[in-house]
Amino acid sequence: MVLRGTYLSTAGIRVRRRLSDYSKYVAGFVEYLRLSGKSEATVKRYRLFVEDFLRFYGSDPKEAGRDDIMEYFAYLRDSREYSDRSLALAGWSLRAFFKYLGMDDIAAWIPTPSFSVQYEPEWLPEDIVLKVVDRIAFLVVAYDLALRLREVTMLRTDGYNARTGYIEVVRLKHKGRPNRYVLPLRPYAKEVLDEYIERERPPRNKLFPISDRMIQYVFKRRLKECGLDPRKYSFHVLRHCLHGETRIVTPQGIVPAKLLYFSGSEVISIDLNNMKPAVGKIASRGFHKGFVYSIWADGREIVCTPEHRFFTLRNGKVVEVMARDLKVGDYVMGVERIRITNRRRCFDPKLWRLIGYYLGDGYYHKGTTEIAIYDRSRERIEYYASEICEPLNLSCRICKLSNRNSYVLRVFSRPLVDLFSLLGIDRHKRVPLQAYTATDDEIAQLIAGFYDAEGADGSFPIMYNTNKELLKDIQMLLLYFAIKSLLEKRVRSVTVPQGIKYTGTIYQLVVPHSDMALKFKELIPTLKEINVKSADPNKRKPAYQVPVCDVIRRVYERRKREGKKVSYFKGVSPVAILQRYSEIPPSKEKLREIIELLPDEPEIQALRPLVDGDIVWLKVTKIEKRPQEEFTESKMGVTVYDFEVSEYHNLITDGFVTHNSRLTNAAIQELKEKGYVDIVSLAKFAGHARPETTMMYVHLASKYLKIGKKV
């Protein structure tokens, strides 16, 4: 093979002249990449490969053919011993270059070898990460703010306020379109950074005068010194993420996080200005491995990383709190009802009833056309045979089990087996995704079928199953009807007829509140007997409470000092409603009553959005670090997913409203330090053209927002 251009050792001067002759192509290509939104790092890599090819080719690139490109690739592979990954990068660079030249036929033909990543990046828990960063300033700051490599090198010394601990960060969320934020450093990171600045005195325009490669080198070296394999760990070791099975509400229904990662561009969010649902767009998404917490609140459970953010109420204001900072007794934001507008009829409601019955006590015989459903009640079995299977033209037979006092409904249908396989319920007992976009009638029939199999007769609805995720699916479906249910874990011991005793974990889904139980009985046509008694309105326990005792207490004490009215008549008796609910969180109904009684109290009137929307407040009852063996064999955690939602910056996950924006946190920190928030400065840092836009994200009362100098 004869090498051309640069690779002829006797033609150095000629090659430099030829490269300069075609520099107009390179300059135009670079501008084309930047206008296409490519990052500077991508532009640099593509430019280097294109310049290398021009040196090799030594002629006008518009005259290059397939043989010339194949000769270049052969040189890279044989003489330079490039890996498949490097060859693929060369291919991508030349594809973009020839597309820029208008040679689409050549661009489409250029090969890009496939390659595999040797190691999947792993993620580290916080205690190990702190050992790795070891008070090295740029690593500590990068970890505290979850920065990328280039974001670290773009930090400026004059963008850091040592008094408040704020630092201006350029977020490279979208390639070529960075956004500016002001973020608060935690005390540990602030201490390390202050020591670094005092010691090193960095220039104003460069907080860390160090290259990307040097940061990566130091990070990898620290991993080795801590006895860790640097190939397994990414520089970005901390994100705010959800477990893959987390149910996320979208306009098209409820989907698990691991599916939303690949499909879907919109989610249902909450507009925190009016506490009502709105459609938010997914701006970015990601996944990694991480250790997770299980947060239980008012009978709901969510599995997320310790850094995942929730909303809570403090002094009547919505603020953010990390999962790791939550405590038992705290209240977090949730939804009272799930509203999906794009719903349509999917199947015959009778078929949904059969699906629900099967999810409870059904079994699929692999390799056959038979589906078997077991029940102790012959009456219920006969109902499903005559009222469900016959109208659906399904062949079935009822059999008495010889070894126990139970019956089995055997349904023989190849189309039904194929449908169950298509829905994914032939092997895994989960509510099909199609149910989340079905009509109310179809959903009610599915729940009724499941209750027929797993529900109990009694004074309130209760369902049992060993499959927790299946019960959580049913819990989300109940929220379509605004029915509150509590998921509970039990350890149960059972003695079988053979005298053998088994002990295992079982879960129950309960609808304990009388109003909710009455609604369940009215809407869900189950065959089981539910004898709900209406509770005395004066004695019944509210389904949800609003944690605004601190606001009511402040108003009550002030009115009492000023000699204003604090007791109000209900019927013929005075009721000290303010005193009572300064100690006990009121229900939404009671809070609405207080708001109507006190039209002259601005603090009370500011609470109105808390009672007018679909928002409820869930009391945290348990926080536990989940053992990894529940999810995966990996010792480095489970796969979790992260979604960033533009505009509203929150999403509904397993009935909770969660958030991963840090702008509100920065405002709250400034409020603590200065007593007010400089909204103009914050808008500039956030990259918002108008301060009004920033005020939508900073959920604080307007009296705290002022125009001031830059922080």
Side-chain angles (χ1 to χ4, degrees):
M1 180 178 68
V2 178
L3 301 182
R4 314 175 188 179
T6 294
Y7 306 105
L8 296 175
S9 58
T10 59
I13 298 176
R14 177 174 60 87
V15 169
R16 284 194 292 272
R17 179 177 57 81
R18 286 187 173 181
L19 185 59
S20 64
D21 289 343
Y22 304 118
S23 60
K24 61 180 180 179
Y25 291 121
V26 177
F29 178 57
V30 167
E31 188 63 23
Y32 164 77
L33 292 177
R34 287 173 176 158
L35 292 176
S36 300
K38 301 296 184 183
S39 69
E40 286 301 317
T42 301
V43 171
K44 180 180 178 180
R45 286 193 295 266
Y46 280 22
R47 176 178 59 80
L48 291 175
F49 271 107
V50 168
E51 288 178 348
D52 190 62
F53 171 75
L54 292 176
R55 290 190 184 94
F56 175 84
Y57 181 57
S59 300
D60 191 330
K62 290 189 175 181
E63 299 175 359
R66 297 185 179 185
D67 291 341
D68 302 309
I69 295 172
M70 288 299 295
E71 189 177 349
Y72 175 64
F73 272 88
Y75 169 76
L76 295 180
R77 185 191 63 230
D78 299 334
S79 299
R80 289 193 175 180
E81 299 181 350
Y82 273 22
S83 64
D84 287 342
R85 184 168 188 156
S86 297
L87 291 175
L89 183 57
W92 296 332
S93 305
L94 294 184
R95 274 186 180 180
F97 180 61
F98 282 101
K99 186 177 180 180
Y100 157 71
L101 294 177
M103 302 169 66
D104 291 346
D105 54 337
I106 294 292
W109 170 85
I110 292 176
T112 53
S114 60
F115 62 91
S116 59
V117 180
Q118 187 175 0
Y119 294 95
E120 180 184 357
E122 299 282 3
W123 299 78
L124 294 167
E126 186 172 25
D127 56 341
I128 298 179
V129 172
L130 290 176
K131 293 180 182 179
V132 172
V133 299
D134 190 34
R135 298 187 72 85
I136 300 173
F138 57 83
L139 293 182
V140 171
V141 172
Y143 170 65
D144 189 61
L145 301 178
L147 301 180
R148 297 172 177 85
L149 278 172
R150 290 199 62 242
E151 291 172 349
V152 177
T153 60
M154 294 172 71
L155 294 174
R156 296 174 59 94
T157 306
D158 55 9
Y160 172 61
N161 188 314
R163 182 178 60 83
T164 63
Y166 294 156
I167 187 168
E168 182 180 352
V169 174
V170 178
R171 286 291 196 188
L172 302 175
K173 295 179 179 178
H174 306 285
K175 290 187 176 182
R177 298 184 295 278
N179 295 318
R180 294 184 180 273
Y181 293 89
V182 55
L183 304 178
L185 290 169
R186 287 187 285 180
Y188 170 74
K190 181 179 183 303
E191 176 188 341
V192 172
L193 184 58
D194 289 342
E195 291 178 357
Y196 161 79
I197 294 175
E198 179 67 24
R199 182 179 65 253
E200 301 294 336
R201 302 287 181 179
R204 289 174 55 85
N205 64 341
K206 198 80 169 175
L207 181 58
F208 301 114
I210 189 172
S211 66
D212 297 5
R213 287 190 176 185
M214 182 54 68
I215 293 177
Q216 189 73 277
Y217 169 77
V218 174
F219 177 68
K220 298 293 185 182
R221 187 190 66 189
R222 284 297 304 147
L223 288 172
K224 289 181 179 179
E225 292 173 353
C226 293
L228 301 169
D229 187 346
R231 295 173 296 181
K232 290 186 177 182
Y233 304 103
S234 164
F235 179 80
H236 192 178
V237 294
L238 182 61
R239 294 292 291 269
H240 321 303
C241 301
L242 301 161
H243 186 256
E245 294 296 339
T246 302
R247 297 149 193 81
I248 299 177
V249 182
T250 75
Q252 290 73 41
I254 296 177
V255 297
K258 61 185 179 183
L259 179 59
L260 185 64
Y261 176 81
F262 292 102
S263 63
S265 59
E266 295 179 331
V267 297
I268 300 296
S269 300
I270 298 296
D271 184 344
L272 295 178
N273 291 313
N274 55 27
M275 298 297 176
K276 293 182 179 180
V279 177
K281 295 186 179 297
I282 298 177
S284 63
R285 63 196 82 197
F287 75 96
H288 65 262
K289 289 188 181 294
F291 291 93
V292 293
Y293 281 6
S294 177
I295 309 294
W296 292 78
D298 264 347
R300 301 180 192 178
E301 184 208 27
I302 183 171
V303 179
C304 59
T305 57
E307 295 75 31
H308 198 68
R309 292 172 181 263
F310 294 81
F311 291 106
T312 188
L313 270 182
R314 291 175 186 164
N315 293 316
K317 311 303 177 186
V318 179
V319 298
E320 300 170 43
V321 59
M322 286 188 182
R324 67 183 175 201
D325 296 327
L326 284 173
K327 300 178 180 61
V328 172
D330 288 347
Y331 286 83
V332 293
M333 186 186 291
V335 290
E336 184 176 19
R337 183 173 196 149
I338 291 177
R339 300 181 187 272
I340 305 294
T341 56
N342 300 329
R343 291 199 277 160
R344 62 190 183 279
R345 187 181 175 90
C346 185
F347 299 135
D348 188 315
K350 294 182 182 296
L351 178 57
W352 279 116
R353 179 106 181 206
L354 184 62
I355 290 173
Y357 198 43
Y358 164 81
L359 290 175
D361 264 333
Y363 181 77
Y364 165 63
H365 293 277
K366 187 177 180 180
T368 70
T369 60
E370 177 188 345
I371 289 174
I373 305 175
Y374 300 86
D375 203 316
R376 290 186 177 184
S377 170
R378 184 178 181 89
E379 184 180 350
R380 281 194 297 271
I381 287 283
E382 290 176 345
Y383 170 84
Y384 276 85
S386 61
E387 301 297 328
I388 303 297
C389 292
E390 286 185 15
L392 292 174
N393 296 319
L394 298 175
S395 175
C396 63
R397 186 171 70 247
I398 299 175
C399 302
K400 172 72 169 63
L401 297 178
S402 58
N403 59 342
R404 52 181 170 164
N405 187 27
S406 295
Y407 299 87
V408 59
L409 176 65
R410 301 188 186 279
V411 183
F412 304 94
S413 172
R414 167 57 66 184
L416 184 65
V417 169
D418 291 342
L419 175 63
F420 280 22
S421 178
L422 182 65
L423 296 177
I425 60 176
D426 54 339
R427 298 180 182 178
H428 304 287
K429 295 288 191 72
R430 294 290 301 276
V431 168
L433 295 179
Q434 291 81 353
Y436 297 115
T437 57
T439 61
D440 284 348
D441 184 30
E442 293 173 272
I443 294 174
Q445 289 292 336
L446 184 148
I447 298 174
F450 183 78
Y451 197 91
D452 288 342
E454 297 292 79
D457 298 314
S459 59
F460 53 86
I462 181 170
M463 293 160 270
Y464 301 93
N465 204 285
T466 56
N467 186 342
K468 181 180 66 173
E469 296 301 325
L470 176 57
L471 287 180
K472 289 173 72 172
D473 291 343
I474 299 296
Q475 186 179 48
M476 292 302 105
L477 289 179
L478 288 174
L479 287 179
Y480 280 57
F481 304 103
I483 296 176
K484 177 183 179 179
S485 58
L486 308 180
L487 183 66
E488 299 173 350
K489 179 179 179 181
R490 293 176 54 192
V491 177
R492 187 177 66 170
S493 296
V494 178
T495 303
V496 298
Q498 294 78 9
I500 303 174
K501 186 175 182 180
Y502 292 97
T503 301
T505 300
I506 191 170
Y507 297 89
Q508 62 183 31
L509 191 63
V510 193
V511 183
H513 297 91
S514 58
D515 290 349
M516 299 293 176
L518 285 170
K519 185 185 291 188
F520 183 96
K521 183 178 180 179
E522 177 187 350
L523 298 176
I524 310 301
T526 176
L527 300 178
K528 298 289 181 73
E529 290 292 332
I530 303 176
N531 302 313
V532 184
K533 296 181 181 179
S534 298
D536 184 343
N538 297 320
K539 296 182 179 180
R540 74 183 177 204
K541 183 180 179 181
Y544 300 103
Q545 295 174 301
V546 187
V548 290
C549 291
D550 47 2
V551 178
I552 296 176
R553 186 183 307 115
R554 190 163 55 246
V555 172
Y556 166 70
E557 292 174 351
R558 188 182 70 249
R559 292 179 70 89
K560 192 174 179 181
R561 286 195 308 269
E562 296 173 356
K564 293 184 178 180
K565 188 177 180 181
V566 294
S567 296
Y568 299 86
F569 280 88
K570 188 172 185 180
V572 296
S573 303
V575 178
I577 190 171
L578 290 183
Q579 181 180 4
R580 174 179 175 80
Y581 293 111
S582 66
E583 301 172 358
I584 303 173
S587 65
K588 293 179 74 172
E589 293 75 17
K590 287 296 181 183
L591 181 57
R592 186 178 289 109
E593 185 179 333
I594 293 172
I595 293 172
E596 297 302 326
L597 288 173
L598 298 172
D600 59 334
E601 290 289 350
E603 279 190 273
I604 297 295
Q605 294 302 310
L607 303 177
R608 189 175 292 277
L610 301 179
V611 299
D612 290 341
D614 288 334
I615 289 303
V616 293
W617 299 93
L618 310 173
K619 188 175 183 178
V620 177
T621 55
K622 183 168 58 175
I623 303 172
E624 54 186 3
K625 188 172 183 179
R626 295 293 293 273
Q628 305 310 309
E629 56 268 18
E630 290 189 22
F631 305 108
T632 179
E633 295 179 0
S634 171
K635 295 182 179 180
M636 295 315 303
V638 302
T639 301
V640 287
Y641 296 82
D642 177 45
F643 301 94
E644 183 180 341
V645 182
S646 62
E647 190 172 356
Y648 300 108
H649 295 275
N650 64 69
L651 60 166
I652 302 171
T653 55
D654 279 341
F656 296 81
V657 180
T658 58
H659 183 33
N660 64 354
S661 170
R662 302 186 73 160
L663 186 57
T664 300
N665 240 22
I668 293 169
Q669 183 66 26
E670 183 172 356
L671 180 62
K672 291 178 181 178
E673 296 285 345
K674 301 165 61 177
Y676 70 93
V677 176
D678 182 354
I679 198 66
V680 173
S681 176
L682 201 59
K684 181 178 180 180
F685 283 128
H688 297 153
R690 302 171 60 205
E692 291 82 359
T693 304
T694 308
M695 291 174 68
M696 293 175 61
Y697 301 145
V698 182
H699 313 297
L700 300 172
S702 58
K703 66 179 181 179
Y704 296 123
L705 306 179
K706 297 183 179 180
I707 298 177
K709 297 181 179 180
K710 181 177 177 181
V711 176

